[in-house]
Amino acid sequence: MKLTRPSDVRTILGELGMRPSRYLGQNFLCDENILGIILRSAGLEPGDTVLEIGPGLGVLTEPMLEAAYRVIAIEKDAALCSYLRSRFIDARNFELLEGDALDYDLESLLKRGISKIVANLPYSVGSRLLVEVTEFAARPETMILMLQLDVARRLCAKPGTRDYGLLTIRIQLDYEIELTKTVNRTCFHPPPDVRSAILTFRRREEPVAQVSDRDFMYLLLKLCFSRRRKQVGHILRSMSNDLCIRPADIQSALDAESISPEKRPEDISISSWAGLANRLSPHNRHSEKGEWETRQNRM
Ligand code: SAM
């Protein structure tokens, strides 16, 4: 049985008495060319320990077990888990964790020496998992991820574009991201509703900019990008009370970062956002720190 052959995938699913679940994003990859691109991008070496989220029938798992030192996979579907256990019964370097990846302590898992994450992610939880994993100190060096194309475009976006936003900035702070290949719906069984893309994430040696309080920066970005067609000076003034910022501090922070108050959020680079957040963070403005902490505790 060849998992890149759609007829074989249908046969296996039939034998398991399984109908692919939309809820679990079960669109199984069955395209040899796309599989090859993912594996070449991953460039697995004998020392690699790989995390795969959502192995499905194991189309990626099988070649990864041959190339890597160890593959740890998390699969939520119990029927797929028992299939995987019997399929890879002889693979001593395979570890299957049955359950929801969102419920696992992924940070502890990553600390077990995982160098790469390679996954065709379930789309419903893909961005959430990505944001979680990239926040850890032990964030992996390399990730090769299949995501839906619109999320992929947001992740790779450049300033000045419609796709540039909070998600872009959050992940690009720590990772260089390349859109390796767009993938047609017909490469999966059953075909998903939207096109997909393979993304390659490489952890930067240093973040694009040092940010003293990332939570504050993310809040600032969330508020600003929720009004992305407005000018940044106007947005900041209108929410100065919520963020415990004095209007005078807004102007001086914008001046210091050479950001025109007429710019829109999507026209500001990642390093300028970082600079602005550092200057506006109540933790760095001692007069407002107490008031900010009181408000945070109340929320
Ligand atoms: N890797 C396989 C492939 O490429 O054919 C399957 C990919 S399919 C897009 C997503 C897989 O993730 C399914 O096997 C599904 O059961 C599993 N899954 C969905 N939600 C999950 C979750 N929260 N945690 C772990 N696995 C999940």
Side-chain angles (χ1 to χ4, degrees), residues 112-287:
R112 287 174 53 191
I114 287 167
S115 47
K116 295 177 176 167
I117 300 184
V118 182
N120 172 12
L121 285 177
Y123 294 154
S124 55
V125 291
S127 355
R128 216 170 126 193
L129 282 167
L130 181 63
V131 165
E132 192 179 326
V133 156
T134 52
E135 288 296 315
F136 300 140
R139 54 181 85 91
E141 278 165 36
T142 307
M143 297 187 285
I144 312 297
L145 303 178
M146 177 99 75
L147 286 153
Q148 62 211 81
L149 184 57
D150 67 329
V151 174
R153 287 199 172 122
R154 279 161 55 208
L155 285 160
C156 300
K158 302 258 181 294
T161 62
R162 208 164 49 102
D163 289 322
Y164 181 75
L166 170 62
L167 184 67
T168 323
I169 298 171
R170 250 185 119 133
I171 312 293
Q172 285 192 21
L173 254 179
D174 299 298
Y175 282 89
E176 275 180 57
I177 311 174
E178 173 200 299
L179 198 156
T180 307
K181 176 89 182 131
T182 54
V183 181
N184 282 332
R185 297 165 57 243
T186 50
C187 297
F188 302 90
H189 173 77
D193 294 335
V194 291
R195 287 210 291 160
S196 307
I198 302 166
L199 291 182
T200 303
F201 298 73
R202 290 197 186 80
R203 194 179 68 203
R204 299 180 194 276
E205 292 281 314
E206 292 292 331
V208 170
Q210 296 301 332
V211 179
S212 57
D213 179 353
R214 285 201 180 197
D215 287 340
F216 176 79
M217 180 176 171
Y218 299 153
L219 177 63
L220 182 71
L221 290 168
K222 190 171 162 205
L223 293 171
C224 289
F225 277 97
S226 67
R227 303 168 71 185
R228 58 189 299 141
R229 299 308 303 153
K230 299 263 189 264
Q231 297 177 347
V232 70
H234 171 79
I235 304 173
L236 291 174
R237 280 192 300 279
S238 68
M239 60 193 201
S240 58
N241 200 26
D242 297 335
L243 291 173
C244 290
I245 311 170
R246 289 181 305 161
D249 290 338
I250 295 174
Q251 192 53 53
S252 57
L254 288 170
D255 288 347
E257 291 300 321
S258 307
I259 301 171
S260 157
E262 280 147 32
K263 278 201 168 181
R264 298 183 201 287
E266 67 193 31
D267 295 322
I268 298 172
S269 70
I270 298 177
S271 51
S272 296
W273 272 118
L276 194 59
N278 287 339
R279 288 175 195 282
L280 294 177
S281 166
H283 290 283
N284 298 337
R285 291 175 302 110
H286 297 291
S287 52

Side-chain angles (χ1 to χ4, degrees), residues 3 9 18 21-30 35 38 52-61 73-78 80 84 97-104 118-126 129 146 187-189:
L3 292 173
V9 170
M18 254 189 86
S21 154
R22 251 180 111 84
Y23 165 68
L24 290 176
Q26 289 177 342
N27 305 103
F28 300 99
L29 177 68
C30 38
L35 176 64
I38 296 175
E52 184 183 9
I53 296 169
L57 294 168
V59 67
L60 277 168
T61 325
I74 310 177
E75 173 57 61
K76 188 170 176 179
D77 187 308
L80 288 176
L84 289 165
L97 305 175
E98 182 172 337
D100 190 326
L102 292 169
D103 294 338
Y104 272 91
V118 182
N120 172 12
L121 285 177
Y123 294 154
S124 55
V125 291
L129 282 167
M146 177 99 75
C187 297
F188 302 90
H189 173 77

